[in-house]
Amino acid sequence: MQANWREIPAARNSFAVLSAACETTGWHLRPVAQPESDVTCYSLNSINEVRYRDEIANAECITVVGGPHATACWQEVATNADYVIVGEGEYTLPSLLASLEAGGDGRIPGVATVDWYEPVKSSVRLDAFPPFSEVKGYVEISRGCPFTCGYCQTPQMFGHCMRHRSIDGIARYANRYGQARFVTPNAFAYGSDGVHPRFDKIEHLLRNLSHEIFFGTFPSEVRPEFICRESLALISDYCTNTRLHFGAQSGSDAVLARLRRGHTVAEAIRAAELCHDAGIIPVVDFIVGFPFETDEDQRETITAMQEVARNGRIHIHRFIPLPGTPLAGARARSLLSETEKVCGDLALGGKLTGSWNEPEIRFFRRRLK
């Protein structure tokens, strides 16, 4: 039985991860530009899913769909796909392929069909699977997030308990290449519970890495309350990147509290100042258009963006109500004319990237490195 992987730009690292997991049990995922026999696998987010919906429904082969959207909306996705992988796929996908090859019905924990679903009873241990093999990818060092930010799918897909790959496991793969880049919801949370940092463990990790190290920048980031002189010293002493990417998300404390972000505006501004003092450029995420955002909240966000932009860069997003999040089903509010003007001025001045009017862009363009 031939297992294929539908090539989708936004799912390149998922391909690396799942290809490596499948190889451990003898499966080779062949990249294809369209569905092909016998089985074609997809990984979709909640923005690009609509692009592939008809293709999956009309495919003349067995279709398997996973990813953030499939996890959040498995019942909907199962109306078009033959099988839906809900949650993590490293163990579930190879097991599903083995079931299908043996003539089984594919009804195993973690897999949904239009009329059946049984959830898995455990989470993936990262060290049990390689981060990549023949298909190169970034090394995922941590998974899960203890926070419950209203717009984020991460804890819904991977849980609230952080899991970490071992230092030896990370070094084994990261040191194969000239540059080491990592996937994690918060690089400064490595080795910790995600709330109380363990900078000693991060230093131990960095000491075991060779070549160029990019930490806390694309394709990962950090949280503002984890930025301090000690954490910044680790970047200065061990890492190649001269930028640090973190999320402020709003310049309004009222909005941050409602989002359950777990930090204040003052902490985000202070983090940017500390980066500047350490000779590191802060690249700070902001989201505009939250459904409950008042005019004053939006003006406070503009003020915070302008303050950060004096010594750093802004990466902006328009709010997207992602399925499976507390804000699913909400609608983005309109932007004030002054918001659009400030964003435009900052963009023209080279201080801002992203999109404040086309939210989908953040899923199809690479972040500032």
Side-chain angles (χ1 to χ4, degrees), residues 2 27 40 64 74 77 90 96 109 130 146 153 177-178 185 195 202 249 259-260 272 281 316-317:
Q2 176 61 54
W27 290 99
T40 300
V64 178
W74 62 265
V77 175
E90 286 96 333
L96 173 60
Q153 289 177 318
Y177 300 99
V195 178
I202 296 174
Q249 312 308 3
L259 291 173
R260 301 179 184 176
I281 299 171
I316 195 165
H317 312 296

Side-chain angles (χ1 to χ4, degrees), residues 15-155:
F15 180 30
V17 170
L18 293 175
S19 178
C22 287
E23 285 173 24
T24 63
T25 55
W27 290 99
H28 174 73
L29 294 181
R30 182 169 65 98
V32 295
Q34 59 187 10
E36 296 186 18
S37 295
D38 298 305
V39 178
T40 300
C41 304
Y42 294 73
S43 179
L44 303 177
N45 61 45
S46 296
I47 301 302
N48 64 22
E49 182 271 339
V50 68
R51 293 188 177 191
Y52 300 96
R53 188 179 298 165
D54 290 343
E55 176 181 300
I56 293 167
N58 298 321
E60 296 181 357
C61 64
I62 297 172
T63 53
V64 178
V65 180
H69 187 79
T71 295
C73 303
W74 62 265
Q75 291 169 306
E76 170 194 307
V77 175
T79 62
N80 295 313
D82 295 300
Y83 298 96
V84 180
I85 292 182
V86 183
E88 301 170 302
E90 286 96 333
Y91 177 80
T92 308
L93 179 56
S95 299
L96 173 60
L97 295 175
S99 172
L100 296 176
E101 184 180 49
D105 60 8
R107 293 189 173 189
I108 61 174
V111 174
T113 65
V114 71
D115 60 355
W116 186 88
Y117 172 59
E118 180 182 333
V120 294
K121 295 181 174 62
S122 60
S123 299
V124 166
R125 183 171 63 87
L126 294 184
D127 275 335
F129 298 93
F132 60 82
S133 57
E134 292 182 4
V135 180
K136 183 185 176 183
Y138 303 115
V139 180
E140 186 177 19
I141 63 174
S142 303
R143 188 177 286 183
C145 180
F147 296 94
T148 56
C149 301
Y151 53 84
C152 183
Q153 289 177 318
T154 296

Side-chain angles (χ1 to χ4, degrees), residues 129-184:
F129 298 93
F132 60 82
S133 57
E134 292 182 4
V135 180
K136 183 185 176 183
Y138 303 115
V139 180
E140 186 177 19
I141 63 174
S142 303
R143 188 177 286 183
C145 180
F147 296 94
T148 56
C149 301
Y151 53 84
C152 183
Q153 289 177 318
T154 296
Q156 280 69 37
M157 185 166 185
F158 296 126
H160 296 278
C161 181
M162 290 203 76
R163 292 161 278 155
H164 307 284
R165 195 180 299 274
S166 68
I167 291 173
D168 288 344
I170 295 168
R172 185 180 309 120
Y173 289 91
N175 289 339
R176 295 182 183 183
Y177 300 99
Q179 290 186 355
R181 294 181 182 271
F182 307 102
V183 173
T184 169

